[in-house]
Amino acid sequence: MLRGANAARATPYRPFPSGNDLLAAAFQSVLPPAPIPSADGTLREMLTRLLQDWADLIGQTPMMLSAMYWVALGGDLEQYAAPFDAIFDSPQAAAELGEYDSVAAISLLLGPLVTVKMSTLAGIDYGECVRASVEGFLHVYGRRTGITGPSTESADA
């Protein structure tokens, strides 16, 4: 192709600071963009819809392509964090969530979906995985109002 265009071998590399950046750009051009979150509904509903959109993308993308893309992308995950940040910055999240680390929260939500995809097990129910991820996230980071913990007093006292 380069010979037919009468271009030097280095020409495709010039706009990129490194080979990894070129590779990331190549993969980024074939993978779909991050899903756009809905602003309607409860926090649980918004997270569930967003994760279901992610599950659909993860389920449809070939595993080898996904793995190579994530490795090439390195730490530049802003575009994939943006949909979660939009939900985390919502009034519902402010009212319902306690303190949390954004990266840890996204990992808790997306991690099970990626793990299921990587397992290559047949018959995985992504819907159930989404439900469990959202419920787990809300259990860990949700404000605990009206919930009392287990008693620390002994039953014999």
Side-chain angles (χ1 to χ4, degrees):
M1 181 167 68
L2 291 173
R3 190 172 291 143
N6 200 21
R9 270 187 145 168
T11 301
Y13 298 94
R14 285 191 184 120
F16 303 98
S18 72
N20 279 349
D21 292 323
L22 171 63
L23 188 59
F27 284 121
Q28 195 167 16
S29 69
V30 296
L31 289 178
I36 297 172
S38 169
D40 298 330
T42 66
L43 178 60
R44 176 178 275 104
E45 292 166 345
M46 290 188 295
L47 286 171
T48 299
R49 280 193 301 270
L50 178 60
L51 275 190
Q52 188 57 59
D53 290 345
W54 271 109
D56 293 343
L57 286 176
I58 290 168
Q60 295 168 5
T61 305
M63 185 60 224
M64 189 58 80
L65 181 63
S66 295
M68 288 189 301
Y69 175 69
W70 286 106
V71 169
L73 192 61
D76 185 21
L77 299 174
E78 280 184 38
Q79 63 182 329
Y80 295 100
F84 290 99
D85 291 340
I87 291 175
F88 295 154
D89 292 341
S90 72
Q92 295 94 328
E96 295 180 39
L97 296 178
E99 297 262 337
Y100 65 90
D101 174 74
S102 182
V103 173
I106 294 169
S107 298
L108 181 61
L109 288 163
L110 275 181
L113 297 174
V114 173
T115 302
V116 163
K117 175 67 175 188
M118 290 173 58
S119 73
T120 66
L121 296 172
I124 297 295
D125 183 354
Y126 279 96
E128 177 57 24
C129 188
V130 165
R131 188 199 66 73
S133 294
V134 170
E135 292 303 319
F137 170 78
L138 293 174
H139 176 77
V140 170
Y141 291 111
R143 294 191 192 277
R144 303 194 195 282
T145 55
I147 299 175
T148 57
S151 174
T152 56
E153 296 178 16
S154 97
D156 297 331

